[in-house]
Amino acid sequence: PPTVTMGSPLRLAYLTLYNSAGLAGWAHILSNLIAIIVSGRYTSLWKEHGTTVKIVQSLAVLEILHALLGLVRSPVSRTFPQVFSRVYLVWMIFDSLYVHPYTPFSLSGCATSLDEASAICTEEMSYQLGCMTLMAWCYAEIIRYSYYILYTFDPKYVPAALNWIRYSAFIILYPVGVSGELLCCFLTLPLLRKGLCATFQGLVTTCPENGEFWLYVYMAMYIPAFPFLYFGMLAERKKRLFPKRQPKLQGVVFPKTKSGDRSTTNTGKEIFAAAAGASSQEEATKVLKEKNWRFGYSKHVINHLVMSAKSEAAALAMAKAGLDYMYSTFDFITEDGKEMKMKEALETVTDKKYFTHTIKGEKPKPSKFEISVPYTCYHTKKNHGNLKGRELIEQVDKWVERGTIEPDCGDAIKKVVLRPEYCDLTNEYFVLLGTTSAMGPFLVLKELGANIIAIDLDRPGIWKKIIETVKDSCATVTFPIKQKYNGEEGEDLYKLAGCNLMNDVPYICTWLKEQVPKTCGSKPVTVGGYAYLDGELHVRVNLACDAIMASVVKNYGARNVRLANLGTPTDVYLVTKDVYDACATNLKEAPIWQKILKLFMNPLGRLIPNNLPIIKAADGSDLYMVDGLVAEQGPNYAISKRLQQWRAIVSRAEGATVSMNIAPATATQSVVWNKTFAMVYGGLHVWKPMEVFYQEVSNAVMGALLIHDVMDATGPATPGFKLQNPMLLFIQNAFHGGSMRCVFTTKSVGEVSAIIYLLNKYLFLVLLTLFGAGAGVAIRLM
């Protein structure tokens, strides 16, 4: 969403005023509603209080703007249908229902035709349904606004009881409210057939044509909308009321702020400010003054890239400043509670905590190694089989032609396919940090006979998978164990293996300092960081990985080390002019429906063309960038990716080979478990040339690119490959899934993609409903 420039005090004052007004409005409606129910004056409800209900409910339209502007964190995809449905009901349905009394329900003494209807029938059923609906709304809104008033000031102010009610009452109130809404719509259908509709206080004298048909359409929208909203709230309830138990704070942690907490917001701003300060103190000041950091961080990420693009010296100075600040401020807490700075911990905590064990695969080395890609199209679900050789090359060419991957990426994969010697990794060595990570190359490397030094959590299930997988290959795995090996096998060995990256980083550095020369001899080693965690944990685990990488580079020599990470498609990058121009070309060639949709959605911050202003480097040359940032991923994710990029360009300048290729949007289990992300992924394919990939495909192609970077001595990963600017490293060999050449920015197509997915998924139901409604109207007219 667009960032909001108003300061924090003004935002707080505005939201408090708005929420208080909402609370007062619905409390007033509830008190009147109770009075009417107690007195039995159902027929007076809308006449006496309809205007109040309309005003209070219509003010909720502001909540859509709040979500769009980033004033609140509520997603527009959830806020819009809720607000729209209620506004439609109070202006279009309740007016008709209360001005023209009628009930089709068979009740004693009540007529069931419109011509014979009497007021008592409406009083007994129609008005009571309206009261039921408004009652559910009142309770839901009073609870919600009470919660928001306190939460806006500080989440700590929310009482536990109110928190429980906020995330429990909806279980009953939502179904009751929706049932009432649909029944009220159903009661309105006969009125529309007779041409009796809302008059808007006399401003409208005739009903729109096919009003009954469009009301059926509106009712059909509840089919996908209600489950989406209801199950979304159930998921939120689980997160809010039953959060995962927080483990004891240990290992790499965010530093304490002046207020004594470990705020990621303050530290995040300070990290970006430290990096910016190496180039511009003015920009550093702007970062520190940012009030809406949660959504306002995006522009500072873009500005960081713009400043880095000015020259190689600027890029390296900013990277070093960012790294130095993180190591000098982040804390490390030992198992016994001793606290020190990361830099100090890496220098002083040098105890030997781990021993070593090695497992060799039991399969013989094959006569030929070969890369393969098990390709099933995520959109069409068509299985293309396990692609090898010529078939794989043909598919790579199709991806290149469509713009889903870069031409040099296609060349790199084809080179690995055409040179089988690249795939023989029996004399290659890899340290995998987060070995079993969903996006890591472990499975690819073990199939090609690599020598793997595995670092992963000390959980028996993880090590059972690693050890059994390696045994079923010709690869070798070396790993840390908690005590000297004494013949343990099976479960006993699994319990001894592994370590914790965040908690044990100094000990892992000490172990690798001794183990890498023993295992690799004098041969080069590739150190890859693939660990992934959510939120602030992602920063912490990435700093641990970075410390291990820096340690290996220092102890083993930069020219003997290759560093590896995966780039994300949801970031801002320097790109080639060809990529930049392709975005404009794809926009010109976009389907007409996308161009029309852009006219309406662009003012709302959606469907934004995928390029940014051209950058003028210090030497006068032009540099180009595209924006794939998704603000919802949060500033912690952006910090983690800056950390990886900073280490990449600094180490490459020192002589290390660096493989950090952009990976595509991938339907990993952790991603598609989130229903919102799953819906977005389901609709991304409509934006040329986007394609989402299954995890098996991404693992295979990114593994092939890693092999290319390790084996090709002349590729862009090597320090001898000349780049116009160090930040151009990340667009080289990019398998970005089309995001860099997409018609629109990734962040601006999310909600629209989800809607397209829902329309496709429920199209049959919608068409069936429309057909039934149309048939009903036709029969009535015959």
Side-chain angles (χ1 to χ4, degrees), residues 128 162 164 342 387 497 530 551 683:
Q128 290 177 6
L162 180 57
W164 186 89
M342 269 289 289
L387 304 180
Y530 301 101
S551 173

Side-chain angles (χ1 to χ4, degrees), residues 156 255-263 266:
K156 297 176 183 177
K256 288 183 178 179
T257 63
K258 293 179 181 178
S259 60
D261 62 3
R262 297 187 184 273
S263 167
N266 291 339

